[in-house]
Amino acid sequence: MVIRYEPLNRKERIARLFREAIEAENRKDLETAKKKLDEILHESMEEEPELYFEACFRLAEIFLQEDNYRGAVKCALRAIRNAPNDDLFRLGFKRLGDVLAIIKDSGRELELTENMDSLRVLLKDDELLSSFLEALVKTAKGEEVSVEFPVKEMNEALKALKG
C-alpha cells in the first residue's frame, strides 16, 4: 500500500485561501479577495476541479460587486468549461443564469457584446460552449436566438438574459 503525502495538504491550503478571500471580501478589500481567489485557481485547476469551480464563481460574485459584468460571465463560463462532472456543469448554468438575471436587471446586457474574444479562444475547442457563447452575445444585443441547447439549464440561463 502506497500512502501519498501532500505537503501542507493542498485542500488545507486552498481552504485557508478561501477563508482569507472571504475575510477580505467582508472588509470590502476586493483586490485582496481577488488575489486569494486567483491563487486558488492556480492551486486547484489540475488536482481539485470542484474547488476550481467554486473559486471561479466566487470570483464572478466579486466582479458583480464591482459592476464588471463581462468579467463575471467570463469567470462563470471558465468554471463551466472545467466542470468535472455533469452535476456541476448543470449547476454552473443555473448559477450563470443568476448572473445573467442580475445583468438584465441592471440594464447592462450590451457589455456582454464587447471584448469577448479571449473567451471565444478559451471555448473554441468546445462546440457546445462556443455556440452557447455566440447565442449569449446575440441575446445581449437583443437579437432573436432560435437555437435550442441539449441541456435544459443552458436554455434557462439564456432565458434569464432575455427577461
Side-chain angles (χ1 to χ4, degrees):
M1 178 169 87
V2 175
I3 297 174
R4 206 170 111 197
Y5 172 75
E6 296 180 29
L8 183 58
N9 186 322
R10 183 177 12 290
K11 286 183 182 179
E12 289 174 10
R13 177 168 160 62
I14 292 170
R16 183 178 49 79
L17 288 168
F18 263 119
R19 185 178 60 252
E20 291 171 1
I22 291 167
E23 289 169 354
E25 186 179 356
N26 288 340
R27 291 189 314 270
K28 303 293 184 212
D29 182 359
L30 300 183
E31 287 307 312
T32 298
K34 289 191 296 189
K35 287 177 187 170
K36 298 294 181 183
L37 290 166
D38 194 48
E39 284 184 58
I40 294 168
L41 294 178
H42 291 293
E43 285 274 332
S44 64
M45 185 170 191
E46 298 296 323
E47 300 289 329
E48 306 292 343
E50 295 88 357
L51 298 175
Y52 180 88
F53 179 88
E54 202 53 49
C56 282
F57 273 103
R58 192 78 192 181
L59 194 52
E61 290 172 16
I62 289 174
F63 283 135
L64 285 176
Q65 291 178 51
E66 296 178 328
D67 296 332
N68 180 350
Y69 299 111
R70 189 174 43 250
V73 169
K74 286 180 179 181
C75 282
L77 284 170
R78 280 176 50 198
I80 292 166
R81 178 184 172 270
N82 292 299
N85 58 52
D86 189 58
D87 289 338
L88 285 179
F89 184 82
R90 290 174 183 276
L91 176 62
F93 275 103
K94 286 184 179 193
R95 292 173 80 174
L96 175 59
D98 294 340
V99 169
L100 295 174
I102 290 168
I103 294 169
K104 175 69 176 171
D105 291 345
S106 299
R108 306 277 290 271
E109 305 94 293
L110 284 177
E111 290 183 23
L112 303 181
T113 65
E114 305 165 352
N115 301 322
M116 296 302 264
D117 290 339
S118 64
L119 195 52
R120 284 184 177 98
V121 169
L122 178 71
L123 302 177
K124 73 178 180 191
D125 295 333
D126 187 317
E127 187 176 323
L128 183 62
L129 290 179
S130 289
S131 62
F132 178 83
L133 177 61
E134 295 312 315
L136 182 127
V137 170
K138 285 181 180 180
T139 301
K141 289 179 181 177
E143 296 176 13
E144 190 60 38
V145 175
S146 59
V147 66
E148 188 74 20
F149 291 98
V151 178
K152 175 184 79 161
E153 291 81 358
M154 295 175 81
N155 298 310
E156 290 171 353
L158 271 183
K159 193 180 291 184
L161 189 60
K162 290 179 185 175

Short mmCIF file of all heavy atoms in Angstrom, two decimals, residues 14-59:
data_model
loop_
_atom_site.label_atom_id
_atom_site.label_comp_id
_atom_site.label_asym_id
_atom_site.label_seq_id
_atom_site.Cartn_x
_atom_site.Cartn_y
_atom_site.Cartn_z
N ILE A 14 -5.90 25.49 0.23
CA ILE A 14 -6.99 26.11 -0.52
C ILE A 14 -8.07 26.59 0.45
O ILE A 14 -8.62 27.69 0.29
CB ILE A 14 -7.55 25.15 -1.58
CG1 ILE A 14 -6.49 24.94 -2.68
CG2 ILE A 14 -8.85 25.66 -2.17
CD1 ILE A 14 -6.81 23.83 -3.66
N ALA A 15 -8.37 25.79 1.47
CA ALA A 15 -9.36 26.20 2.47
C ALA A 15 -8.91 27.49 3.17
O ALA A 15 -9.73 28.39 3.41
CB ALA A 15 -9.59 25.09 3.49
N ARG A 16 -7.62 27.57 3.49
CA ARG A 16 -7.10 28.78 4.14
C ARG A 16 -7.23 29.97 3.19
O ARG A 16 -7.64 31.06 3.61
CB ARG A 16 -5.63 28.57 4.53
CG ARG A 16 -5.03 29.77 5.27
CD ARG A 16 -3.58 29.53 5.70
NE ARG A 16 -2.70 29.01 4.66
CZ ARG A 16 -2.15 29.74 3.69
NH1 ARG A 16 -2.41 31.03 3.60
NH2 ARG A 16 -1.35 29.18 2.80
N LEU A 17 -6.92 29.77 1.93
CA LEU A 17 -7.05 30.85 0.95
C LEU A 17 -8.51 31.29 0.79
O LEU A 17 -8.80 32.48 0.67
CB LEU A 17 -6.47 30.42 -0.40
CG LEU A 17 -4.95 30.33 -0.46
CD1 LEU A 17 -4.51 29.61 -1.73
CD2 LEU A 17 -4.32 31.71 -0.37
N PHE A 18 -9.43 30.32 0.78
CA PHE A 18 -10.86 30.68 0.71
C PHE A 18 -11.25 31.53 1.90
O PHE A 18 -11.93 32.55 1.76
CB PHE A 18 -11.74 29.42 0.67
CG PHE A 18 -12.17 29.00 -0.70
CD1 PHE A 18 -11.81 27.76 -1.20
CD2 PHE A 18 -12.94 29.82 -1.50
CE1 PHE A 18 -12.21 27.35 -2.47
CE2 PHE A 18 -13.34 29.43 -2.77
CZ PHE A 18 -12.97 28.19 -3.26
N ARG A 19 -10.83 31.12 3.09
CA ARG A 19 -11.15 31.87 4.30
C ARG A 19 -10.58 33.30 4.20
O ARG A 19 -11.27 34.27 4.50
CB ARG A 19 -10.61 31.16 5.54
CG ARG A 19 -11.02 31.82 6.85
CD ARG A 19 -10.52 31.09 8.09
NE ARG A 19 -9.07 31.01 8.11
CZ ARG A 19 -8.34 29.91 7.90
NH1 ARG A 19 -8.94 28.75 7.67
NH2 ARG A 19 -7.02 29.93 7.93
N GLU A 20 -9.35 33.42 3.77
CA GLU A 20 -8.73 34.74 3.63
C GLU A 20 -9.45 35.58 2.58
O GLU A 20 -9.62 36.79 2.76
CB GLU A 20 -7.25 34.59 3.28
CG GLU A 20 -6.41 34.02 4.40
CD GLU A 20 -4.98 33.65 3.98
OE1 GLU A 20 -4.63 33.87 2.80
OE2 GLU A 20 -4.24 33.15 4.83
N ALA A 21 -9.88 34.96 1.50
CA ALA A 21 -10.61 35.68 0.45
C ALA A 21 -11.94 36.19 0.98
O ALA A 21 -12.33 37.34 0.73
CB ALA A 21 -10.82 34.79 -0.77
N ILE A 22 -12.65 35.35 1.72
CA ILE A 22 -13.95 35.75 2.27
C ILE A 22 -13.77 36.85 3.30
O ILE A 22 -14.54 37.83 3.32
CB ILE A 22 -14.68 34.52 2.86
CG1 ILE A 22 -15.10 33.58 1.72
CG2 ILE A 22 -15.89 34.95 3.69
CD1 ILE A 22 -15.55 32.21 2.18
N GLU A 23 -12.75 36.74 4.14
CA GLU A 23 -12.48 37.79 5.12
C GLU A 23 -12.17 39.11 4.43
O GLU A 23 -12.66 40.16 4.84
CB GLU A 23 -11.33 37.38 6.05
CG GLU A 23 -11.70 36.28 7.02
CD GLU A 23 -10.50 35.69 7.75
OE1 GLU A 23 -9.34 36.05 7.44
OE2 GLU A 23 -10.73 34.84 8.65
N ALA A 24 -11.37 39.07 3.38
CA ALA A 24 -11.04 40.28 2.62
C ALA A 24 -12.30 40.86 1.98
O ALA A 24 -12.51 42.08 2.00
CB ALA A 24 -9.99 39.97 1.56
N GLU A 25 -13.12 40.00 1.43
CA GLU A 25 -14.36 40.46 0.80
C GLU A 25 -15.27 41.12 1.84
O GLU A 25 -15.87 42.17 1.58
CB GLU A 25 -15.07 39.29 0.14
CG GLU A 25 -16.29 39.69 -0.65
CD GLU A 25 -16.97 38.51 -1.32
OE1 GLU A 25 -16.48 37.38 -1.26
OE2 GLU A 25 -18.04 38.75 -1.91
N ASN A 26 -15.35 40.55 3.02
CA ASN A 26 -16.17 41.13 4.09
C ASN A 26 -15.65 42.49 4.52
O ASN A 26 -16.44 43.34 4.96
CB ASN A 26 -16.24 40.19 5.29
CG ASN A 26 -17.11 38.97 5.01
OD1 ASN A 26 -17.93 38.97 4.10
ND2 ASN A 26 -16.89 37.91 5.77
N ARG A 27 -14.33 42.70 4.40
CA ARG A 27 -13.74 44.00 4.72
C ARG A 27 -13.85 44.96 3.55
O ARG A 27 -13.35 46.08 3.60
CB ARG A 27 -12.25 43.85 5.08
CG ARG A 27 -11.94 43.14 6.35
CD ARG A 27 -10.45 43.24 6.70
NE ARG A 27 -9.53 42.97 5.60
CZ ARG A 27 -9.03 41.77 5.29
NH1 ARG A 27 -9.37 40.70 6.02
NH2 ARG A 27 -8.19 41.63 4.29
N LYS A 28 -14.46 44.51 2.46
CA LYS A 28 -14.58 45.28 1.21
C LYS A 28 -13.23 45.51 0.55
O LYS A 28 -13.05 46.43 -0.23
CB LYS A 28 -15.29 46.63 1.44
CG LYS A 28 -16.66 46.52 2.05
CD LYS A 28 -17.63 45.86 1.11
CE LYS A 28 -19.02 45.84 1.73
NZ LYS A 28 -19.77 44.70 1.32
N ASP A 29 -12.27 44.63 0.85
CA ASP A 29 -10.96 44.66 0.22
C ASP A 29 -11.01 43.68 -0.96
O ASP A 29 -10.49 42.56 -0.89
CB ASP A 29 -9.88 44.27 1.24
CG ASP A 29 -8.47 44.31 0.66
OD1 ASP A 29 -8.32 44.64 -0.55
OD2 ASP A 29 -7.53 44.01 1.42
N LEU A 30 -11.68 44.10 -2.02
CA LEU A 30 -11.94 43.20 -3.14
C LEU A 30 -10.67 42.83 -3.90
O LEU A 30 -10.58 41.72 -4.44
CB LEU A 30 -12.99 43.82 -4.07
CG LEU A 30 -14.35 44.11 -3.42
CD1 LEU A 30 -15.32 44.66 -4.45
CD2 LEU A 30 -14.91 42.88 -2.75
N GLU A 31 -9.69 43.71 -3.93
CA GLU A 31 -8.44 43.38 -4.63
C GLU A 31 -7.73 42.21 -3.96
O GLU A 31 -7.25 41.29 -4.63
CB GLU A 31 -7.53 44.61 -4.70
CG GLU A 31 -8.00 45.65 -5.69
CD GLU A 31 -8.25 45.11 -7.09
OE1 GLU A 31 -7.38 44.38 -7.62
OE2 GLU A 31 -9.31 45.41 -7.66
N THR A 32 -7.66 42.23 -2.62
CA THR A 32 -7.04 41.12 -1.90
C THR A 32 -7.85 39.85 -2.10
O THR A 32 -7.28 38.77 -2.33
CB THR A 32 -6.91 41.45 -0.40
OG1 THR A 32 -6.06 42.59 -0.27
CG2 THR A 32 -6.33 40.28 0.38
N ALA A 33 -9.16 39.96 -2.04
CA ALA A 33 -10.02 38.79 -2.24
C ALA A 33 -9.77 38.19 -3.62
O ALA A 33 -9.64 36.96 -3.76
CB ALA A 33 -11.48 39.17 -2.07
N LYS A 34 -9.66 39.03 -4.64
CA LYS A 34 -9.41 38.53 -5.99
C LYS A 34 -8.04 37.85 -6.08
O LYS A 34 -7.92 36.81 -6.74
CB LYS A 34 -9.51 39.66 -7.02
CG LYS A 34 -10.92 40.15 -7.23
CD LYS A 34 -11.09 41.07 -8.42
CE LYS A 34 -10.34 42.35 -8.26
NZ LYS A 34 -10.67 43.33 -9.32
N LYS A 35 -7.04 38.40 -5.42
CA LYS A 35 -5.71 37.78 -5.44
C LYS A 35 -5.74 36.40 -4.79
O LYS A 35 -5.14 35.46 -5.29
CB LYS A 35 -4.70 38.68 -4.73
CG LYS A 35 -4.32 39.90 -5.54
CD LYS A 35 -3.37 40.80 -4.78
CE LYS A 35 -3.16 42.08 -5.56
NZ LYS A 35 -2.44 43.09 -4.79
N LYS A 36 -6.44 36.29 -3.66
CA LYS A 36 -6.53 34.99 -2.97
C LYS A 36 -7.27 33.98 -3.85
O LYS A 36 -6.87 32.82 -3.95
CB LYS A 36 -7.24 35.14 -1.62
CG LYS A 36 -6.54 36.05 -0.65
CD LYS A 36 -5.23 35.50 -0.21
CE LYS A 36 -4.53 36.42 0.79
NZ LYS A 36 -3.22 35.94 1.16
N LEU A 37 -8.34 34.42 -4.49
CA LEU A 37 -9.09 33.52 -5.36
C LEU A 37 -8.27 33.12 -6.57
O LEU A 37 -8.34 31.97 -7.03
CB LEU A 37 -10.42 34.16 -5.77
CG LEU A 37 -11.43 34.27 -4.63
CD1 LEU A 37 -12.58 35.20 -5.00
CD2 LEU A 37 -11.96 32.90 -4.23
N ASP A 38 -7.48 34.04 -7.08
CA ASP A 38 -6.60 33.72 -8.20
C ASP A 38 -5.58 32.65 -7.79
O ASP A 38 -5.29 31.73 -8.56
CB ASP A 38 -5.90 34.98 -8.70
CG ASP A 38 -5.24 34.76 -10.05
OD1 ASP A 38 -5.91 34.21 -10.95
OD2 ASP A 38 -4.06 35.13 -10.19
N GLU A 39 -5.07 32.75 -6.56
CA GLU A 39 -4.16 31.71 -6.06
C GLU A 39 -4.87 30.36 -6.01
O GLU A 39 -4.28 29.33 -6.36
CB GLU A 39 -3.66 32.06 -4.65
CG GLU A 39 -2.61 33.13 -4.61
CD GLU A 39 -2.11 33.35 -3.19
OE1 GLU A 39 -1.61 32.38 -2.59
OE2 GLU A 39 -2.24 34.49 -2.69
N ILE A 40 -6.12 30.37 -5.58
CA ILE A 40 -6.90 29.13 -5.53
C ILE A 40 -7.05 28.55 -6.93
O ILE A 40 -6.90 27.34 -7.12
CB ILE A 40 -8.28 29.36 -4.88
CG1 ILE A 40 -8.12 29.74 -3.42
CG2 ILE A 40 -9.16 28.12 -5.03
CD1 ILE A 40 -9.39 30.26 -2.77
N LEU A 41 -7.32 29.40 -7.90
CA LEU A 41 -7.47 28.92 -9.27
C LEU A 41 -6.20 28.21 -9.74
O LEU A 41 -6.27 27.13 -10.34
CB LEU A 41 -7.82 30.07 -10.21
CG LEU A 41 -9.17 30.74 -9.99
CD1 LEU A 41 -9.35 31.90 -10.96
CD2 LEU A 41 -10.31 29.76 -10.11
N HIS A 42 -5.05 28.79 -9.45
CA HIS A 42 -3.79 28.17 -9.87
C HIS A 42 -3.51 26.88 -9.10
O HIS A 42 -2.99 25.93 -9.67
CB HIS A 42 -2.63 29.16 -9.70
CG HIS A 42 -2.69 30.30 -10.66
ND1 HIS A 42 -2.51 30.14 -12.01
CD2 HIS A 42 -2.94 31.61 -10.47
CE1 HIS A 42 -2.65 31.30 -12.62
NE2 HIS A 42 -2.90 32.21 -11.71
N GLU A 43 -3.86 26.86 -7.83
CA GLU A 43 -3.62 25.67 -6.99
C GLU A 43 -4.55 24.50 -7.35
O GLU A 43 -4.18 23.35 -7.18
CB GLU A 43 -3.84 26.00 -5.51
CG GLU A 43 -2.76 26.80 -4.88
CD GLU A 43 -1.63 25.94 -4.37
OE1 GLU A 43 -1.85 24.77 -4.01
OE2 GLU A 43 -0.50 26.46 -4.33
N SER A 44 -5.75 24.82 -7.78
CA SER A 44 -6.79 23.79 -7.86
C SER A 44 -7.12 23.29 -9.25
O SER A 44 -7.74 22.24 -9.38
CB SER A 44 -8.08 24.33 -7.20
OG SER A 44 -8.56 25.44 -7.93
N MET A 45 -6.72 23.99 -10.27
CA MET A 45 -7.19 23.65 -11.62
C MET A 45 -6.98 22.20 -11.99
O MET A 45 -7.90 21.53 -12.46
CB MET A 45 -6.57 24.56 -12.66
CG MET A 45 -7.13 24.32 -14.03
SD MET A 45 -6.58 25.58 -15.14
CE MET A 45 -7.62 25.25 -16.52
N GLU A 46 -5.80 21.69 -11.78
CA GLU A 46 -5.49 20.31 -12.20
C GLU A 46 -5.97 19.27 -11.19
O GLU A 46 -6.52 18.24 -11.57
CB GLU A 46 -3.98 20.15 -12.41
CG GLU A 46 -3.42 21.04 -13.49
CD GLU A 46 -3.96 20.73 -14.87
OE1 GLU A 46 -4.19 19.54 -15.17
OE2 GLU A 46 -4.18 21.68 -15.64
N GLU A 47 -5.75 19.52 -9.92
CA GLU A 47 -5.95 18.49 -8.90
C GLU A 47 -7.29 18.56 -8.17
O GLU A 47 -7.74 17.56 -7.62
CB GLU A 47 -4.82 18.57 -7.86
CG GLU A 47 -3.45 18.35 -8.44
CD GLU A 47 -3.20 16.92 -8.87
OE1 GLU A 47 -3.76 16.01 -8.25
OE2 GLU A 47 -2.42 16.73 -9.84
N GLU A 48 -7.88 19.73 -8.09
CA GLU A 48 -9.11 19.91 -7.30
C GLU A 48 -10.16 20.66 -8.14
O GLU A 48 -10.48 21.82 -7.86
CB GLU A 48 -8.81 20.70 -6.01
CG GLU A 48 -7.71 20.12 -5.15
CD GLU A 48 -8.06 18.81 -4.51
OE1 GLU A 48 -9.27 18.46 -4.45
OE2 GLU A 48 -7.14 18.11 -4.06
N PRO A 49 -10.70 20.03 -9.18
CA PRO A 49 -11.59 20.76 -10.09
C PRO A 49 -12.86 21.29 -9.43
O PRO A 49 -13.40 22.32 -9.85
CB PRO A 49 -11.91 19.73 -11.18
CG PRO A 49 -11.59 18.41 -10.58
CD PRO A 49 -10.51 18.64 -9.57
N GLU A 50 -13.34 20.64 -8.38
CA GLU A 50 -14.53 21.14 -7.69
C GLU A 50 -14.23 22.47 -6.99
O GLU A 50 -15.06 23.38 -6.98
CB GLU A 50 -15.05 20.13 -6.66
CG GLU A 50 -15.57 18.84 -7.25
CD GLU A 50 -14.49 17.78 -7.44
OE1 GLU A 50 -13.29 18.05 -7.18
OE2 GLU A 50 -14.85 16.67 -7.89
N LEU A 51 -13.04 22.57 -6.43
CA LEU A 51 -12.64 23.81 -5.76
C LEU A 51 -12.36 24.91 -6.78
O LEU A 51 -12.65 26.08 -6.54
CB LEU A 51 -11.44 23.56 -4.85
CG LEU A 51 -11.69 22.56 -3.72
CD1 LEU A 51 -10.42 22.28 -2.95
CD2 LEU A 51 -12.81 23.03 -2.81
N TYR A 52 -11.81 24.53 -7.93
CA TYR A 52 -11.61 25.48 -9.02
C TYR A 52 -12.96 26.06 -9.44
O TYR A 52 -13.11 27.28 -9.59
CB TYR A 52 -10.94 24.78 -10.21
CG TYR A 52 -10.71 25.68 -11.39
CD1 TYR A 52 -9.54 26.43 -11.48
CD2 TYR A 52 -11.64 25.78 -12.42
CE1 TYR A 52 -9.32 27.26 -12.56
CE2 TYR A 52 -11.43 26.61 -13.50
CZ TYR A 52 -10.26 27.35 -13.57
OH TYR A 52 -10.06 28.19 -14.65
N PHE A 53 -13.93 25.20 -9.60
CA PHE A 53 -15.28 25.60 -9.98
C PHE A 53 -15.83 26.63 -8.99
O PHE A 53 -16.32 27.69 -9.37
CB PHE A 53 -16.17 24.34 -10.01
CG PHE A 53 -17.61 24.57 -10.37
CD1 PHE A 53 -18.01 24.57 -11.69
CD2 PHE A 53 -18.56 24.75 -9.39
CE1 PHE A 53 -19.34 24.75 -12.03
CE2 PHE A 53 -19.90 24.94 -9.71
CZ PHE A 53 -20.28 24.94 -11.05
N GLU A 54 -15.71 26.32 -7.71
CA GLU A 54 -16.24 27.22 -6.68
C GLU A 54 -15.49 28.54 -6.64
O GLU A 54 -16.09 29.60 -6.46
CB GLU A 54 -16.19 26.51 -5.32
CG GLU A 54 -17.14 27.08 -4.31
CD GLU A 54 -18.59 27.15 -4.80
OE1 GLU A 54 -19.11 26.17 -5.32
OE2 GLU A 54 -19.20 28.23 -4.64
N ALA A 55 -14.18 28.50 -6.81
CA ALA A 55 -13.39 29.74 -6.80
C ALA A 55 -13.77 30.63 -7.99
O ALA A 55 -13.84 31.86 -7.85
CB ALA A 55 -11.90 29.41 -6.82
N CYS A 56 -14.02 30.03 -9.14
CA CYS A 56 -14.44 30.81 -10.31
C CYS A 56 -15.75 31.55 -10.02
O CYS A 56 -15.88 32.74 -10.33
CB CYS A 56 -14.63 29.92 -11.53
SG CYS A 56 -13.13 29.42 -12.36
N PHE A 57 -16.69 30.86 -9.42
CA PHE A 57 -17.98 31.51 -9.14
C PHE A 57 -17.85 32.55 -8.02
O PHE A 57 -18.54 33.56 -8.04
CB PHE A 57 -19.08 30.49 -8.85
CG PHE A 57 -19.74 30.03 -10.12
CD1 PHE A 57 -19.45 28.80 -10.67
CD2 PHE A 57 -20.62 30.87 -10.79
CE1 PHE A 57 -20.04 28.40 -11.85
CE2 PHE A 57 -21.21 30.48 -11.98
CZ PHE A 57 -20.92 29.24 -12.52
N ARG A 58 -16.98 32.31 -7.07
CA ARG A 58 -16.75 33.31 -6.01
C ARG A 58 -16.14 34.57 -6.64
O ARG A 58 -16.51 35.68 -6.30
CB ARG A 58 -15.83 32.73 -4.95
CG ARG A 58 -15.74 33.54 -3.72
CD ARG A 58 -16.97 33.29 -2.88
NE ARG A 58 -17.02 34.28 -1.83
CZ ARG A 58 -17.93 34.33 -0.92
NH1 ARG A 58 -18.90 33.45 -0.91
NH2 ARG A 58 -17.93 35.26 -0.02
N LEU A 59 -15.23 34.37 -7.56
CA LEU A 59 -14.63 35.50 -8.28
C LEU A 59 -15.68 36.21 -9.13
O LEU A 59 -15.70 37.45 -9.20
CB LEU A 59 -13.48 34.98 -9.15
CG LEU A 59 -12.50 35.99 -9.72
CD1 LEU A 59 -11.93 36.91 -8.65
CD2 LEU A 59 -11.38 35.26 -10.45
#
